[in-house]
Amino acid sequence: MKIAVSISFKYSINVIRQVLSKKKNISIFHPFDFKNQFVDFAPHQAILRESVNDFFIHALNDKTINLRLPLPPHKKTVNDFFIVTEGFAKRQVGINAYKIHKSELLSVPQLQVSTTDFYSENLNGFYCHFSDDFLVDNSLLLNWQLTNSQLNKTTINEETTDRIYQLLTMMNNLYRSNWTQNKKLIAQYLRTVITEINFQKTEANQGKINKKRDLTADYIGLINANLDKAYNISELAEMLHITPNHLNKTIKKDLGKSAQTVYNEILLQEAKVLLLQTSKDISEIAFDLGFSDLSYFGKFFKKLSQQSPLEYRRMIEKYQ
């Protein structure tokens, strides 16, 4: 990765994470709470609840773990990755929707809005999440977050897929046999897996790192860091030291959407996260997202989602 790109992404990630961690309106699921709401564990797996805030892994064909799909947009305190060896799944990270097939991996850094929509009947592979503290190695983690912020889905060659799958199988067995005794060994295997993934991402995506994607990442980061400010596109362009026209052309080329559409989609996602993960009333949520007029927030939400904020909250009450 080029030095200029690394510095830019490092700046973006640090700013976003600092702002998101401090803003009171941002609600984030700790994995224990997330699993309680979205996952049905078999009785003999209750012990896994003890580890889930630091580390969790499960085989995607494990029928004893029932994930209630589709999940609504949410944020978590952990980093996760999802590798498929058979079948396919549909997940979304931020405003980008992905279909993950054999020998493909999707990774989601902490604090990102994500959803899981669909698992095929023959799905196989692994889901794994881990906290920053569990991984420990900051250099590995920084590289993981930099590559993730740029491109979440990666195609992995067959040999590497098999190698990662075997490592994850060993981690899964160790995890379920004795988490307390084996967690240091599991952490070591995880570092090896992350190193493999980082290498594959760097090799596969080196040619895709360019100024266009750099600007897109900075634009999305700027929106996320200022969700309560109600900035318009001209103000955001000025903060990026470019013209609104240049910003819009770049975003349109990269994402196939206007800069305003991207802004609106991110704002809608955040509204859905707050409706799910907080008990705030709708007027508070509107204010937190920079809307001074509750009726305008309602119209904005309904135009993009075909539901009012209240209808959406009632629909997701099953997750509460």
Side-chain angles (χ1 to χ4, degrees):
M1 185 178 293
K2 295 179 181 178
I3 295 174
V5 174
S6 298
I7 292 172
S8 175
F9 277 104
K10 183 176 180 180
Y11 169 79
S12 299
I13 289 169
N14 287 341
V15 169
I16 295 166
R17 293 182 66 189
Q18 287 170 13
V19 172
L20 291 181
S21 65
K22 291 177 182 178
K23 284 175 67 175
K24 294 181 180 179
N25 63 303
I26 302 299
S27 181
I28 306 166
F29 272 129
H30 289 279
F32 179 83
D33 302 318
F34 177 85
K35 297 301 177 189
N36 276 344
Q37 291 194 33
F38 299 116
V39 182
D40 294 324
F41 286 99
H44 70 277
Q45 293 173 319
I47 190 65
L48 303 184
R49 297 175 187 272
E50 296 178 8
S51 65
V52 76
N53 280 340
D54 281 326
F55 177 83
F56 181 75
I57 185 171
H58 77 87
L60 296 176
N61 63 350
D62 184 350
K63 302 304 182 185
T64 66
I65 296 178
N66 179 30
L67 188 63
R68 296 191 287 276
L69 300 178
L71 301 181
H74 57 275
K75 292 182 182 179
K76 293 183 292 187
T77 59
V78 288
N79 311 281
D80 80 49
F81 63 91
F82 186 98
I83 186 168
V84 172
T85 57
E86 185 180 4
F88 70 94
K90 294 179 181 178
R91 296 189 72 190
Q92 184 166 329
V93 185
I95 60 172
N96 297 315
Y98 298 97
K99 197 170 182 180
I100 312 102
H101 293 92
K102 181 179 179 179
S103 295
E104 291 182 334
L105 179 140
L106 189 76
S107 42
V108 185
Q110 64 167 328
L111 307 182
Q112 289 256 2
V113 177
S114 65
T115 69
T116 302
D117 297 318
F118 177 79
Y119 283 0
S120 68
E121 284 293 327
N122 62 335
L123 183 66
N124 196 9
F126 279 98
Y127 165 88
C128 179
H129 76 229
F130 56 93
S131 67
D132 286 3
D133 290 339
F134 186 71
L135 189 60
V136 177
D137 188 331
N138 290 330
S139 62
L140 273 179
L141 192 57
L142 177 61
N143 192 20
W144 172 265
Q145 289 163 343
L146 289 172
T147 35
N148 269 280
S149 69
Q150 186 178 5
L151 191 62
N152 296 84
K153 191 173 89 164
T154 306
T155 300
I156 302 174
N157 64 53
E158 188 173 340
E159 180 183 349
T160 304
T161 299
D162 290 343
R163 189 160 57 241
I164 290 175
Y165 184 81
Q166 292 304 317
L167 287 166
L168 293 173
T169 299
M170 288 188 284
M171 287 165 58
N172 191 40
N173 292 338
L174 289 166
Y175 181 54
R176 277 157 177 74
S177 64
N178 192 324
W179 158 250
T180 303
Q181 179 178 318
N182 294 329
K183 60 184 175 181
K184 288 185 178 179
L185 182 55
I186 292 170
Q188 195 60 41
Y189 277 129
L190 178 61
R191 292 185 191 100
T192 304
V193 169
I194 297 300
T195 301
E196 288 271 15
I197 293 170
N198 282 341
F199 179 77
Q200 288 295 313
K201 280 179 168 290
T202 301
E203 286 290 299
N205 303 320
Q206 189 68 42
K208 298 179 182 179
I209 300 169
N210 54 43
K211 291 182 179 179
K212 180 181 67 175
R213 288 195 176 276
D214 204 5
L215 176 58
T216 300
D218 286 343
Y219 174 64
I220 291 173
L222 194 59
I223 295 171
N224 279 312
N226 295 280
L227 283 167
D228 58 340
K229 301 294 195 309
Y231 288 133
N232 60 42
I233 300 303
S234 294
E235 290 171 317
L236 291 168
E238 184 178 354
M239 294 165 74
L240 292 168
H241 309 293
I242 57 175
T243 66
N245 186 52
H246 178 55
L247 174 62
N248 200 56
K249 283 185 175 180
T250 301
I251 300 302
K252 186 78 173 177
K253 271 188 177 181
D254 196 13
L255 301 179
K257 307 171 185 177
S258 69
Q260 186 64 59
T261 297
V262 170
Y263 185 98
N264 290 346
E265 289 181 356
I266 292 172
L267 201 58
L268 177 67
Q269 277 192 337
E270 190 65 29
K272 288 183 174 181
V273 169
L274 292 170
L275 286 165
L276 172 71
Q277 293 179 219
T278 75
S279 57
K280 291 183 176 184
D281 62 43
I282 293 169
S283 61
E284 287 181 282
I285 291 172
F287 178 78
D288 285 343
L289 295 176
F291 290 87
S292 57
D293 186 330
L294 179 58
S295 64
Y296 180 66
F297 172 67
K299 290 176 182 177
F300 167 85
F301 193 98
K302 188 159 189 173
K303 182 179 179 181
L304 270 68
S305 67
Q306 287 72 57
Q307 295 173 300
S308 70
L310 183 57
E311 288 169 338
Y312 181 80
R313 177 164 264 176
R314 285 173 176 166
M315 182 190 73
I316 59 175
E317 281 180 349
K318 63 182 178 179
Y319 296 113
Q320 303 300 324

